[in-house]
Amino acid sequence: MGLTEFIIHYATLIIEKTSYFGVGILMVMESMVFPVPSEAVMPFAGFLWSDGKLNFWLIVIFSTLGSIIGSLASYYIGKYGGRPFVKKFGKYFLLNEHHLDKTEAFFKRNGDKTIFISRFIPVVRHLISIPAGVGEMNLGKFVIYTVTGAAIWNSLLTYVGFLLKQNWENLRKYTEIVDYLIVVVIIVGVVYLIYKKKKQLKASVPPADEINKIL
């Protein structure tokens, strides 16, 4: 059993045994630096909803509460610990400084709305609260963006689990594919931005003959 399957196995087991409390705790971890995938946690909660064991609205409330608690913890880690914390402890959670570099660049490029957007992006959502804390983003805005994004994402994944309860194994495969596709889109976007920037720099450099005339 690989590490990802190990995490998913125990995440689903926790939900089975501890119900809403388990959902909340797992989403606290997911919103921090722990490698707990919401793409597995929330659909499984939806699976239990479809069996009448859990209530949709309570799933959303507890998962979103967990998301904001975990995000606030990361926010304050960023505010008081920042990059040194990730460098020192990130390796224990399958995260490294490279992940933080990408997340910080994403945050700087998109501003405060990044907190909302990041809820839908793998890896980024685990770390995005740290640069928000480092930059001392307005706490009220941070909470609003986090709660809104998390509530939408958690509701969506829960409903997906409800619809696909008979295809749990296939769901896990599909969510992995979606993650890869999102990462590919991000990479393509970054490459395009670099290409565009280089093109602009090239256009701003005067031709050689003009330089010779000046000389």
Side-chain angles (χ1 to χ4, degrees):
M1 182 186 292
L3 182 58
T4 301
E5 288 189 354
F6 175 84
I7 292 170
I8 291 173
H9 171 73
Y10 279 97
T12 53
L13 188 64
I14 287 170
I15 295 173
E16 270 191 306
K17 299 298 183 182
T18 61
S19 187
Y20 304 110
F21 178 76
V23 172
I25 290 298
L26 288 168
M27 294 311 290
V28 168
M29 297 171 71
E30 193 266 351
S31 295
M32 295 179 68
V33 294
F34 297 92
V36 177
S38 58
E39 293 89 344
V41 173
M42 298 313 302
F44 185 70
F47 182 95
L48 296 179
W49 167 38
S50 70
D51 283 344
K53 296 177 181 178
L54 296 179
N55 174 273
F56 173 75
W57 294 111
L58 289 177
I59 291 171
V60 174
I61 289 170
F62 275 85
S63 62
T64 303
L65 184 61
S67 294
I68 188 60
I69 291 172
S71 296
L72 282 170
S74 290
Y75 176 92
Y76 284 108
I77 286 173
K79 187 173 181 179
Y80 298 110
R83 180 175 290 274
F85 176 88
V86 175
K87 287 176 70 175
K88 188 173 182 179
F89 300 107
K91 60 186 177 182
Y92 300 113
F93 307 110
L94 306 183
L95 298 169
N96 55 48
E97 200 171 358
H98 174 64
H99 292 137
L100 184 58
D101 288 338
K102 289 171 65 176
T103 305
E104 286 181 340
F106 187 69
F107 182 77
K108 288 177 182 176
R109 187 166 60 250
N110 295 283
D112 291 353
K113 64 179 180 292
T114 300
I115 300 302
F116 173 79
I117 299 170
S118 68
R119 302 311 308 184
F120 310 97
I121 304 175
V123 180
V124 173
R125 66 172 161 266
H126 295 290
L127 285 170
I128 194 61
S129 300
I130 293 177
V134 171
E136 297 190 6
M137 176 181 172
N138 178 275
L139 192 57
K141 280 187 177 181
F142 176 80
V143 170
I144 290 171
Y145 282 133
T146 299
V147 169
T148 305
I152 293 172
W153 182 240
N154 295 342
S155 299
L156 177 64
L157 289 180
T158 301
Y159 190 61
V160 167
F162 177 84
L163 294 177
L164 300 177
K165 67 169 186 172
Q166 300 300 328
N167 297 287
W168 179 238
E169 290 301 319
N170 289 333
L171 173 62
R172 282 169 53 182
K173 293 176 185 176
Y174 290 142
T175 53
E176 287 179 6
I177 292 171
V178 170
D179 277 357
Y180 289 133
L181 287 174
I182 291 173
V183 170
V184 168
V185 169
I186 292 172
I187 292 172
V188 170
V190 170
V191 170
Y192 172 74
L193 288 172
I194 292 172
Y195 167 76
K196 190 175 179 182
K197 191 71 175 176
K198 284 186 175 180
K199 195 173 180 181
Q200 288 174 347
L201 289 172
K202 190 175 180 181
S204 65
V205 176
D209 56 341
E210 288 188 18
I211 294 175
N212 292 331
K213 286 179 182 179
I214 294 171
L215 296 175

